[in-house]
Amino acid sequence: MQEWANQLCENRQFGSKMTDSKYFTTTKKGEIFELKAELNSDKKEKKKEAVKKVIASMTVGKDVSALFPDVVNCMQTDNLELKKLVYLYLMNYAKSQPDMAIMAVNTFVKDCEDPNPLIRALAVRTMGCIRVDKITEYLCEPLRKCLKDEDPYVRKTAAVCVAKLHDINAQLVEDQGFLDTLKDLISDSNPMVVANAVAALSEIAESHPNSNLLDLNPQTINKLLTALNECTEWGQIFILDCLANYTPRDDRESQSICERVTPRLSHANSAVVLSAVKVLMKFMEMLPKDLDYYGTLLKKLAPPLVTLLSAEPELQYVALRNINLIVQRRPEIMKHEMKVFFVKYNDPIYVKLEKLDIMIRLASQANIAQVLAELKEYATEVDVDFVRKAVRAIGRCAIKVEQSAERCVSTLLDLIQTKVNYVVQEAIVVIKDIFRKYPNKYESVIATLCENLDSLDEPEARAAMIWIVGEYAERIDNADELLESFLEGFHDESTQVQLQLLTAIVKLFLKKPTETQELVQQVLSLATQDSDNPDLRDRGYIYWRLLSTDPVAAKEVVLAEKPLISEETDLIEPTLLEELICHIGTLASVYHKPPSAFVEGSRGVQHKRLPGSAGSGESVDSPETTSTAGVSDAPPAVIPSQGDLLGDLLNLDLTPTTAGPPPPAPSSGMQLGGMDLLGGGLDSLLGGDLGGTPAIGAGFGAAPAALPASFSAPVSGGLDDLFDLGGGVGMPMGAYSPPKSVWLPAMKAKGLEISGTFARRAGVIQMEMTLTNKAMSVMTDFAIQFNRNSFGLSPAGPLQVLTPLSPNQSIEVALPLNTSGPVMKMDPLNNLQVAVKNNIDVFYFSCQYPISMLFVEDGKMERQIFLATWKDIPNDNESQFQIKDCHLSSDAASNKLQGSNIFTIAKRTVDGQDMLYQSMKLTNGIWVLAELRIQAGNPNYTISLKCRAAEVSQCVFQSYEAVLKN
Amino acid sequence: MSASAIFVLDLKGKVLICRNYKGDVNMADIDHFMPLLMQQEEEGMICPVITRGNVHFMWIKHSNLYLVATTNKNSNASLVYSFLYKLVEVFTEYFKELEEESIQDNFVVVYELLDELMDFGFPQTTDSKILQEYITQEGAKLEVAKTKVPTTVTNAVSWRSEGIKYKKNEVFIDVIESINVLVNANGSVMSSDIVGSIKLKTMLSGMPELRLGLNDRVLFALSGRDKGKTVMMEDVKFHQCVRLSRFESDRTISFIPPDGESELMSYRINTHVKPLIWIESVIEKFSHSRVEIMVKAKGQFKKQSVANNVEIRVPVPSDADSPKFKTSTGNAKYVPEKDLVLWTIKSFPGGKEFLMRAHFGLPSVENDELEGKPPITVKFEIPYFTVSGIQVRYMKIIEKSGYQALPWVRYITQSGDYQLRTNV
């Protein structure tokens, strides 16, 4: 540092320009004394020069704290520039000289009453930065005055000072009533004061999540929205970020806030745009999907997001990370914007990688040709990480878009021909996945792959290649030689490769037992006797015993048919995704991690949730619910005695209240943390003899007005029912999901009760269950299995019940499903037989899923293809149904159906009758075409369904009915 | 909420100046920044956010400086980067160039600015024109003026001071459209769009109210007019002076302009434009001997228009030598430090076609490092013309003193990000 200062003065000495850098010349040794003298000089100019020298020394990191009293002596000056410098010095050294810092207090108090507002503001700004406990209390009076100052510049500075003081001594700020003053400033006439007050309050609220500081109500929201139009770009961000924490009471309020926030999308500052996007993405959850405005809003979001990509690269990066989230949550927003994500040669690497990620997410049949051409281009670049990711992307496209698989494979083969080592390895890894997705289709390329065996030096590629050789051993003449060549360096391989080699050779042996006996013995002994890796040894012994005791069983185990792999491998888990959407623009959205994962001391902080899906507590708590639910007299915290409660619930009028409260969302994911004992208790109390039939559920749903908010969590099934009965108020979130019903009554399952439903969320089919323990002992070790079924539904992972389930407790579980399980036609078609195991026993039940869960997101057929297909399907396959008592307009119906991936392709109006032509695609690739006829004024719709597999029509019709009527 | 502290570092990572706003991150942590960045660079995985423990560094680079913000909270990252770029803008307007030297030469003002621009991590007034009214470089001279906070600072109109006077009231409007094109090696246009910008140079007295009329398709549709050519703007971004809610409701662009130069708005148009200068290239590489390049450039715009200062950059291998050129017009030269041939054509009339041939030798011992495939890039400027056909229909200027003011309009089309991939 010293060096810099010296060198600097040398450089400058000869320059004609006299700049601040001359002050750096005095920091040579032994000059503190000299400075001291200058600071105490009578001449103003000399004093100022001396302070500048001190600051210069401070800047280069030299300790000039010894001059503290002398510098503070210069504080009383009417020269603003000098005052600023002294204040700056104070901020830096006050903490190291707390006793002397007191000397400054008087001047602060005096400066806060200076006639010049610049000085008043400067004093109040600096005061808060002096983090010395002793002096904080002296600062309260000046701060109080400044908060009421006539000059808005002083008030806006004082508002921030409250946050500073709160950070040093929260108790003091509360005792002094500053928080209330700060809240009053939200109604200030000056927009900048409002903005800073909001920022200060948000900051305080963030560090004290339970303080309930920001109790936003419609009045304050209105004030904020007004200030939004008038304050600086930064103020707009503070206000938008604060708005994002609000939960509107109903969809109407939600819409009106959205309408006032959308103009911000045209702001030149990217951060304003992203904060506005956050508010809109969040509040959109509450809008019914059939609302015209919902569609308008969706359309408005894409252009500003695209424009963010012309910002500076760092801002582009933040935008891309956020678009990645938005695309997962609402794929429809960006689906036509593929081109803007094409990579430019001069993009920084972090932008390139993010663009690539989004390209894969947006890849669909419609754009796959273009995407592939681009990916191929990227794969011949030089940036290793980028190239690898591009090759991987080609593989993912093949798996995602079936029609493109062949082209992808040939592209990969072309790339393998380039012989660029890492390209070849990456290609082999992805080809393995393609084999798994499309068995018995592309094995002809194996020969080409085998040619590159020797060049593979990365474990993942070696393992992939070995897997391929083992899996297709019967088609590779020299499979034994190939595998044997790997065996030589067995102990130098990584575990991944060793395990794969072991399995591959066992496979080979089972396929060609005669010629490979020696090989298999060799690998088994290598794995079991010469290895100290327990996993490897275990696997080795298992194979060994299997092969020696029952070769037939071994064959069944080792050569069993493998489950297919799923399309999207790296989707963010839905609850996390919801939380991240609430944090758009922040570091959390950049890291794709919840704030609790990287911010210290935030573990107690509530996870933000989207309004549609947050635990329904908030809305149940709201006054409006209390009044509409009808049992408003009981104070919320008092729990009626058991008998009374039962009586009340049973006597409740079950006809749905028409002016329903805002639909609290049925919880979508697992219930985090707050498993409430009380709730569980009441639940079981009811469930014991009434079995939670829908009617009781509905009554229950209306009741929580008299119960604590937390209560509603375990009975969300009941709440669900209420809103379904209410009709029309249904929660417009993703595909239609029927209310939970009891699948397994407790009496049939030794006290375990399971109720559940199915839902499709962000393209993932979920089985959502409530497990309730009504037995006397703790239940553990839950697991689940499905019988073969019509569409190959099977659990995508184990059943996540991590903690033991105590008596009278219940837990919400969301089990993601895939459709790669074994297939067997069931009757009815959508029947699913399930086995659930716990530490007590295994229980069986069957349930039926709405077939609409299987409608995939890319089920929109091209018009031309639709026409051709419609004609092509024989008329015998057409079935007609009536949907009675449906009062939606054709547009509303169409929007509603689209939520469940039933896409309207065309609409025709003949003689007042609307004909909607619609398509949907099942997970197994079966297309269903529909013609929906709606006559204005006639509540009965007619639907004709055409499908090559006519047996699904009945189920599809049921889904139509369920979706339209809910 | 945003930054805990802001640092300005030199290329070696040494702190030139810093400001601690919140005190919740140890200021010494900045010493870890440069080693971490260098490690990332080595691994080829640089990223604008660097994490160490619970400290996050958000950084940008400007000339020979790094501007770094630290935080240990879940900060609004887009706000932080916007702010850092704003910092660059303000410093540049104060010191002309922002570089190591200008920070050292002006450290007192830099401290003052850092104090005014952000408070406790919240960005405050960042409009440099307004800041210059009360934070000045020559402290002594302005003692008097500085005794007052300009009311502008906290006004709803925070970008324009009161009491501005001009003898002659004029406003100059520049409509500049940049063409972004990405063309594949096989000649197909992968993506193309127009990014337009309307810049103002305002020399108007008092607090004038301005209204700008464009041939905006949405506006015409709203008002039921259907005469003449209109332009569909995909997305529009405005300077903060424009009343956004007004635009949202009836597409009126109304505002009180900042004084002097400013960008009033920018827009993006998605329509597929024919690349105005079309390039066909044949690059043949004969390993160990030579590279032959043939580039044909064609002006695909009206004959009356002329593209000025056309620069066509054609990449060549880094180990190429002994260049030879032949051009039908303009001048070609080899720029070895950038591994490219620069072909400049001062004036390129529409409809014309020009040719350039280049020949390079290659060493017999080949460079075994893989080289990227940089695209051919083109720069040009076509005055008096916009591709989209956007037009300023009127600019109404109303000031309470009732003076007459003249608006002047100028149109320019230029190249933006204009890349044509090659097959080598």
Side-chain angles (χ1 to χ4, degrees):
Chain A
M1 294 290 167
Q2 180 74 51
E3 198 183 332
W4 175 55
N6 286 338
Q7 187 194 344
L8 212 119
C9 68
E10 272 164 42
N11 290 343
R12 311 261 117 210
Q13 249 164 11
F14 308 102
S16 55
K17 205 167 61 162
M18 281 309 276
T19 62
D20 289 350
S21 53
K22 67 174 185 283
Y23 300 111
F24 294 105
T25 55
T26 55
T27 48
K28 282 178 190 156
K29 49 191 170 288
E31 289 191 8
I32 292 278
F33 183 73
E34 212 170 287
L35 274 174
K36 211 177 176 81
E38 283 177 41
L39 283 170
N40 290 310
S41 156
D42 297 335
K43 288 185 190 138
K44 270 190 186 171
E45 212 37 46
K46 199 155 195 184
K47 249 189 188 174
K48 197 163 111 186
E49 294 296 289
V51 175
K52 281 193 185 176
K53 285 179 196 165
V54 173
I55 299 292
S57 307
M58 185 184 94
T59 304
V60 294
K62 198 175 173 192
D63 183 13
V64 282
S65 60
L67 296 165
F68 199 88
D70 310 277
V71 177
V72 173
N73 270 336
C74 303
M75 200 171 163
Q76 293 209 26
T77 168
D78 44 12
N79 182 311
L80 190 56
E81 197 184 349
L82 179 56
K83 197 179 272 291
K84 280 186 182 173
L85 291 173
V86 176
Y87 276 6
L88 184 67
Y89 178 90
L90 261 176
M91 278 188 273
N92 260 313
Y93 290 111
K95 210 157 187 194
S96 59
Q97 311 259 345
D99 295 325
M100 277 194 276
I102 300 241
M103 288 164 55
V105 168
N106 267 336
T107 320
F108 279 130
V109 175
K110 214 173 122 226
D111 281 355
C112 280
E113 290 177 15
D114 195 278
N116 182 348
L118 268 182
I119 296 196
R120 296 201 296 277
L122 179 65
V124 81
R125 185 162 62 218
T126 312
M127 259 164 42
C129 298
I130 295 181
R131 304 174 63 89
V132 175
D133 264 341
K134 271 188 208 162
I135 72 165
T136 28
E137 53 191 292
Y138 295 104
L139 304 179
C140 291
E141 277 323 298
L143 175 59
R144 195 185 313 282
K145 274 186 201 143
C146 288
L147 280 166
K148 302 250 154 87
D149 200 283
E150 54 170 23
D151 194 305
Y153 181 73
V154 180
R155 290 202 302 279
K156 71 126 184 158
T157 313
V160 177
C161 187
V162 176
K164 293 179 188 169
L165 221 54
H166 192 272
D167 195 32
I168 304 168
N169 191 341
Q171 195 57 46
L172 180 76
V173 169
E174 270 162 50
D175 295 346
Q176 295 279 338
F178 285 144
L179 294 181
D180 293 322
T181 322
L182 201 53
K183 280 189 211 165
D184 292 343
L185 287 182
I186 290 189
S187 314
D188 198 279
S189 59
N190 185 292
M192 193 136 171
V193 177
V194 178
N196 272 5
V198 168
L201 281 170
S202 307
E203 177 86 19
I204 296 172
E206 200 172 304
S207 52
H208 293 72
N210 302 321
S211 60
N212 200 23
L213 258 181
L214 277 166
D215 52 342
L216 298 168
N217 55 50
Q219 286 77 34
T220 39
I221 291 295
N222 197 32
K223 282 174 195 155
L224 294 183
L225 287 167
T226 310
L228 188 60
N229 288 324
E230 294 179 339
C231 59
T232 65
E233 47 202 317
W234 314 111
Q236 296 183 18
I237 300 170
F238 309 152
I239 291 179
L240 289 168
D241 284 355
C242 175
L243 277 178
N245 290 323
Y246 177 63
T247 310
R249 289 161 308 166
D250 52 27
D251 53 342
R252 214 171 297 163
E253 191 188 9
S254 187
Q255 176 175 346
S256 94
I257 295 175
C258 287
E259 280 167 354
R260 295 175 70 178
V261 166
T262 33
R264 297 301 121 198
L265 295 175
S266 300
H267 201 289
N269 187 322
S270 305
V272 175
V273 175
L274 262 185
S275 286
V277 169
K278 165 164 55 192
V279 174
L280 296 174
M281 281 296 290
K282 192 173 164 190
F283 289 12
M284 200 194 271
E285 296 288 335
M286 294 193 61
L287 299 176
K289 274 200 166 176
D290 52 2
L291 197 68
D292 286 348
Y293 181 72
Y294 176 82
T296 319
L297 194 54
L298 273 186
K299 281 200 203 96
K300 280 193 174 163
L301 280 169
L305 286 171
V306 171
T307 305
L308 288 177
L309 301 184
S310 15
E312 288 83 2
E314 293 82 3
L315 283 161
Q316 276 185 51
Y317 175 68
V318 177
L320 285 165
R321 293 292 285 172
N322 280 286
I323 291 172
N324 199 326
L325 297 173
I326 292 168
V327 164
Q328 291 183 57
R329 180 75 198 165
R330 300 212 173 273
E332 60 272 36
I333 294 177
M334 301 301 282
K335 73 172 174 219
H336 299 301
E337 304 292 349
M338 174 60 89
K339 282 184 174 183
V340 301
F341 299 103
F342 287 171
V343 171
K344 299 264 176 74
Y345 181 74
N346 42 345
D347 283 333
I349 179 71
Y350 52 82
V351 168
K352 283 185 176 169
L353 294 174
E354 286 311 311
K355 282 187 173 173
L356 202 49
D357 223 34
I358 296 172
M359 278 173 69
I360 304 164
R361 293 203 192 284
L362 292 179
S364 68
Q365 200 184 339
N367 55 26
I368 194 71
Q370 255 186 330
V371 172
L372 263 183
E374 278 296 293
L375 292 175
K376 196 175 174 185
E377 184 79 32
Y378 305 159
T380 57
E381 277 290 343
V382 282
D383 201 318
V384 178
D385 292 296
F386 181 57
V387 171
R388 281 177 182 273
K389 196 159 180 172
V391 177
R392 232 163 243 242
I394 296 173
R396 272 172 65 188
C397 284
I399 288 162
K400 198 175 166 188
V401 185
E402 187 168 354
Q403 295 81 351
S404 76
E406 196 159 342
R407 233 176 320 169
C408 294
V409 171
S410 79
T411 307
L412 288 169
L413 286 178
D414 286 350
L415 290 171
I416 288 177
Q417 298 307 334
T418 63
K419 303 278 176 198
V420 177
N421 189 275
Y422 53 85
V423 172
V424 174
Q425 312 215 36
E426 210 63 54
I428 285 178
V429 173
V430 295
I431 287 180
K432 180 202 77 180
D433 287 344
I434 297 177
F435 282 170
R436 293 224 23 209
K437 172 81 184 186
Y438 309 109
N440 305 316
K441 229 169 159 182
Y442 300 110
E443 285 72 15
S444 54
V445 309
I446 290 176
T448 321
L449 303 184
C450 289
E451 288 165 19
N452 292 283
L453 213 60
D454 299 334
S455 65
L456 308 179
D457 53 12
E458 290 163 18
E460 203 181 350
R462 287 173 82 84
M465 192 64 224
I466 293 169
W467 182 87
I468 293 171
V469 175
E471 186 67 16
Y472 300 103
E474 69 274 26
R475 309 183 192 194
I476 306 172
D477 295 337
N478 60 344
D480 49 345
E481 283 169 39
L482 294 176
L483 292 175
E484 197 172 1
S485 69
F486 282 102
L487 211 51
E488 285 157 20
F490 188 80
H491 289 298
D492 301 327
E493 299 283 1
S494 72
T495 312
Q496 188 185 9
V497 180
Q498 290 174 331
L499 287 169
Q500 207 55 261
L501 195 53
L502 172 61
T503 306
I505 292 179
V506 173
K507 279 182 193 165
L508 173 70
F509 171 70
L510 288 166
K511 287 174 180 177
K512 303 178 180 172
T514 44
E515 57 250 65
T516 56
Q517 202 152 5
E518 203 172 313
L519 195 59
V520 81
Q521 292 208 325
Q522 206 180 340
V523 77
L524 287 175
S525 91
L526 278 171
T528 53
Q529 286 159 20
D530 301 341
S531 167
D532 47 12
N533 180 325
D535 285 346
L536 189 63
R537 273 207 315 261
D538 282 357
R539 195 185 284 191
Y541 279 124
I542 289 172
Y543 284 145
W544 202 324
R545 272 176 212 150
L546 261 175
L547 291 174
S548 53
T549 49
D550 188 352
V552 182
K555 210 161 185 169
E556 266 169 34
V557 171
V558 181
L559 301 181
E561 205 167 301
K562 271 156 271 326
L564 291 179
I565 55 175
S566 67
E567 294 180 2
E568 301 274 359
T569 43
D570 55 352
L571 283 174
I572 294 176
E573 192 269 318
T575 25
L576 175 59
L577 182 62
E578 285 186 20
E579 189 179 355
L580 293 178
I581 290 282
C582 298
H583 290 290
I584 282 177
T586 68
L587 281 178
S589 73
V590 174
Y591 292 140
H592 289 183
K593 282 181 195 164
S596 54
F598 62 90
V599 179
E600 245 175 37
S602 67
R603 269 191 299 162
V605 177
Q606 284 173 339
H607 290 267
K608 290 193 186 175
R609 300 288 297 273
L610 290 175
S613 49
S616 37
E618 280 165 26
S619 19
V620 172
D621 216 13
S622 80
E624 182 158 325
T625 320
T626 316
S627 56
T628 47
V631 257
S632 54
D633 293 338
V638 177
I639 302 149
S641 69
Q642 297 180 359
D644 288 344
L645 176 65
L646 268 178
D648 271 348
L649 291 172
L650 291 170
N651 288 335
L652 263 183
D653 187 0
L654 290 179
T655 49
T657 42
T658 40
S667 68
S668 73
M670 293 162 226
Q671 184 67 27
L672 284 174
M675 244 321 126
D676 196 64
L677 276 175
L678 169 67
L682 283 170
D683 204 17
S684 67
L685 174 74
L686 271 176
D689 43 359
L690 299 167
T693 59
I696 294 301
F700 216 1
L707 300 168
S710 54
F711 175 72
S712 58
V715 290
S716 62
L719 281 171
D720 226 346
D721 288 343
L722 172 67
F723 297 111
D724 290 325
L725 282 174
V729 242
M731 198 45 219
M733 228 208 60
Y736 162 69
S737 158
K740 277 189 184 167
S741 55
V742 176
W743 285 339
L744 182 68
M747 59 213 314
K748 283 195 179 167
K750 302 185 180 167
L752 173 66
E753 186 193 79
I754 299 180
S755 59
T757 182
F758 292 88
R760 185 180 183 91
R761 301 194 196 275
V764 178
I765 307 169
Q766 290 191 351
M767 183 166 176
E768 296 176 348
M769 287 173 287
T770 308
L771 309 183
T772 309
N773 180 355
K774 292 182 173 169
M776 302 301 285
S777 59
V778 175
M779 295 180 179
T780 56
D781 303 327
F782 286 94
I784 194 162
Q785 251 181 9
F786 294 176
N787 197 357
R788 290 168 184 246
N789 55 73
S790 315
F791 294 94
L793 280 173
S794 70
L799 189 62
Q800 296 283 346
V801 184
L802 299 176
T803 47
L805 195 59
S806 311
N808 285 338
Q809 220 188 4
S810 61
I811 187 166
E812 308 268 352
V813 192
L815 179 70
L817 307 183
N818 60 33
T819 50
S820 48
V823 173
M824 182 172 86
K825 192 173 162 191
M826 301 295 289
D827 189 24
L829 206 60
N830 56 343
N831 198 29
L832 180 65
Q833 295 177 336
V834 183
V836 169
K837 178 191 99 89
N838 63 11
N839 56 330
I840 300 167
D841 205 339
V842 182
F843 311 103
Y844 301 92
F845 62 88
S846 65
C847 52
Q848 291 178 14
Y849 46 90
I851 205 162
S852 59
M853 298 304 135
L854 303 171
F855 295 164
V856 296
E857 274 66 26
D858 63 348
K860 187 162 187 172
M861 211 177 229
E862 299 279 351
R863 268 166 189 249
Q864 299 304 330
I865 302 179
F866 183 91
L867 268 177
T869 318
W870 184 274
K871 284 187 195 141
D872 203 80
I873 299 177
N875 282 337
D876 293 348
N877 278 18
E878 183 173 348
S879 17
Q880 219 174 55
F881 303 92
Q882 289 269 324
I883 301 172
K884 294 210 167 90
D885 274 318
C886 200
H887 296 277
L888 297 165
S889 72
S890 57
D891 284 348
S894 162
N895 277 334
K896 210 163 190 184
L897 291 167
Q898 175 144 5
S900 293
N901 293 336
I902 300 173
F903 298 92
T904 304
I905 290 158
K907 180 180 157 182
R908 204 152 60 98
T909 309
V910 181
D911 299 333
Q913 180 168 262
D914 287 337
M915 328 252 253
L916 300 177
Y917 295 96
Q918 302 173 316
S919 73
M920 59 226 90
K921 191 171 108 178
L922 293 165
T923 42
N924 57 359
I926 294 180
W927 286 91
V928 183
L929 312 184
E931 181 198 54
L932 184 64
R933 271 176 281 171
I934 302 176
Q935 180 92 40
N938 182 353
N940 296 343
Y941 299 176
T942 311
I943 181 161
S944 307
L945 295 169
K946 262 192 163 184
C947 178
R948 289 216 163 82
E951 55 268 51
V952 302
S953 295
Q954 180 68 30
C955 291
V956 173
F957 159 65
Q958 285 164 1
S959 281
Y960 256 91
E961 198 161 46
V963 172
L964 285 172
K965 291 195 173 172
N966 284 287
Chain B
M1 188 183 235
S2 73
S4 172
I6 301 275
F7 298 84
V8 181
L9 310 180
D10 69 4
L11 283 180
K12 291 188 196 122
K14 194 167 61 187
V15 180
L16 295 178
I17 207 160
C18 62
R19 174 67 201 256
N20 187 356
Y21 288 107
K22 296 187 69 176
D24 54 358
V25 175
N26 186 352
M27 294 297 275
D29 279 342
I30 193 68
D31 297 339
H32 301 293
F33 171 73
M34 194 49 69
L36 288 168
L37 182 63
M38 274 157 52
Q39 190 189 335
Q40 283 196 348
E41 260 167 21
E42 237 164 70
E43 292 162 3
M45 290 298 282
I46 61 165
C47 180
V49 204
I50 299 180
T51 313
R52 182 182 180 274
N54 60 350
V55 180
H56 312 276
F57 302 96
M58 288 175 261
W59 62 278
I60 65 169
K61 194 178 173 196
H62 180 86
S63 67
N64 55 359
L65 299 174
Y66 289 96
L67 282 81
V68 189
T70 55
T71 182
N72 58 7
K73 298 264 156 53
N74 180 28
S75 297
N76 185 329
S78 53
L79 178 142
V80 172
Y81 291 117
S82 286
F83 180 76
L84 291 177
Y85 276 103
K86 199 67 171 186
L87 216 52
V88 171
E89 194 184 312
V90 171
F91 286 161
T92 312
E93 285 186 37
Y94 262 83
F95 317 129
K96 292 218 172 57
E97 296 285 331
L98 171 60
E99 51 186 27
E100 196 175 331
E101 223 171 59
S102 51
I103 293 285
Q104 291 162 359
D105 287 353
N106 300 285
F107 78 96
V108 175
V109 183
V110 173
Y111 274 130
E112 273 192 60
L113 284 173
L114 287 174
D115 197 37
E116 199 64 43
L117 287 166
M118 184 176 255
D119 194 7
F120 203 52
F122 308 126
Q124 300 291 310
T125 311
T126 54
D127 192 308
S128 68
K129 286 199 195 77
I130 304 306
L131 286 166
Q132 273 166 5
E133 288 181 28
Y134 65 111
I135 294 179
T136 53
Q137 275 163 296
E138 291 145 276
K141 210 171 80 189
L142 274 128
E143 215 103 297
V144 194
K146 280 206 293 182
T147 54
K148 234 181 73 204
V149 199
T151 49
T152 328
V153 175
T154 49
N155 257 354
V157 182
S158 62
W159 55 89
R160 186 184 178 91
S161 304
E162 282 166 21
I164 295 172
K165 278 206 177 65
Y166 285 97
K167 269 192 198 149
K168 194 175 174 190
N169 288 296
E170 288 177 307
V171 72
F172 298 88
I173 308 165
D174 276 350
V175 181
I176 302 161
E177 289 196 339
S178 304
I179 315 295
N180 299 324
V181 181
L182 179 61
V183 182
N184 221 351
N186 60 15
S188 58
V189 179
M190 300 303 288
S191 68
S192 77
D193 62 1
I194 305 169
V195 177
S197 154
I198 298 186
K199 293 187 171 156
L200 297 184
K201 186 173 180 191
T202 318
M203 299 163 78
L204 297 171
S205 313
M207 277 289 176
E209 266 287 339
L210 270 57
R211 240 168 66 203
L212 175 71
L214 300 172
N215 54 342
D216 168 15
R217 185 168 304 164
V218 182
L219 173 67
F220 277 42
L222 276 178
S223 56
R225 237 179 321 209
D226 58 341
K227 285 179 276 181
K229 198 183 173 217
T230 56
V231 172
M232 182 67 203
M233 295 184 283
E234 179 78 7
D235 188 34
V236 194
K237 291 277 175 284
F238 290 108
H239 185 275
Q240 59 167 326
C241 68
V242 177
R243 296 180 183 96
L244 296 182
S245 27
R246 178 99 195 261
F247 179 77
E248 179 81 11
S249 65
D250 61 6
R251 299 288 277 197
T252 306
I253 304 170
S254 79
F255 56 99
I256 297 173
D259 188 43
E261 289 178 26
S262 60
E263 182 178 53
L264 178 69
M265 62 181 280
S266 63
Y267 54 88
R268 192 164 49 77
I269 297 175
N270 250 351
T271 45
H272 211 78
V273 278
K274 205 192 310 176
L276 294 178
I277 292 190
W278 182 250
I279 303 285
E280 278 170 39
S281 67
V282 181
I283 303 177
E284 280 180 293
K285 193 172 165 184
F286 303 91
S287 283
H288 315 296
S289 96
R290 63 188 196 280
V291 183
E292 280 174 12
I293 298 171
M294 199 276 292
V295 176
K296 192 163 76 180
K298 191 178 170 192
Q300 305 195 108
F301 47 93
K302 279 191 216 124
K303 284 204 174 78
Q304 307 91 290
S305 294
V306 173
N308 293 331
N309 305 321
V310 179
E311 292 184 0
I312 300 163
R313 288 153 205 268
V314 186
V316 293
S318 60
D319 50 1
D321 56 41
S322 45
K324 278 180 232 154
F325 304 107
K326 212 191 271 174
T327 58
S328 62
T329 190
N331 184 24
K333 74 172 186 206
Y334 176 41
V335 189
E337 65 273 21
K338 288 184 177 152
D339 297 324
L340 52 83
V341 176
L342 176 61
W343 179 21
T344 44
I345 304 165
K346 277 271 164 276
S347 158
F348 195 138
K352 284 277 188 308
E353 211 176 278
F354 298 118
L355 215 66
M356 189 265 297
R357 287 175 187 281
H359 179 284
F360 284 88
L362 284 178
S364 50
V365 182
E366 218 174 328
N367 187 353
D368 36 328
E369 238 176 75
L370 262 178
E371 284 186 26
K373 296 202 303 178
I376 297 179
T377 56
V378 185
K379 276 190 185 171
F380 58 87
E381 231 179 64
I382 308 175
Y384 318 114
F385 161 77
T386 56
V387 220
S388 67
I390 201 161
Q391 270 173 351
V392 175
R393 290 174 49 245
Y394 60 81
M395 168 76 97
K396 290 193 177 132
I397 303 163
I398 301 163
E399 215 275 335
K400 57 177 185 284
S401 67
Y403 60 72
Q404 287 295 310
L406 283 176
W408 304 91
V409 190
R410 196 163 58 162
Y411 298 96
I412 295 181
T413 292
Q414 63 185 25
S415 57
D417 199 349
Y418 203 103
Q419 303 189 355
L420 301 102
R421 292 178 182 152
T422 64
N423 47 9
V424 178

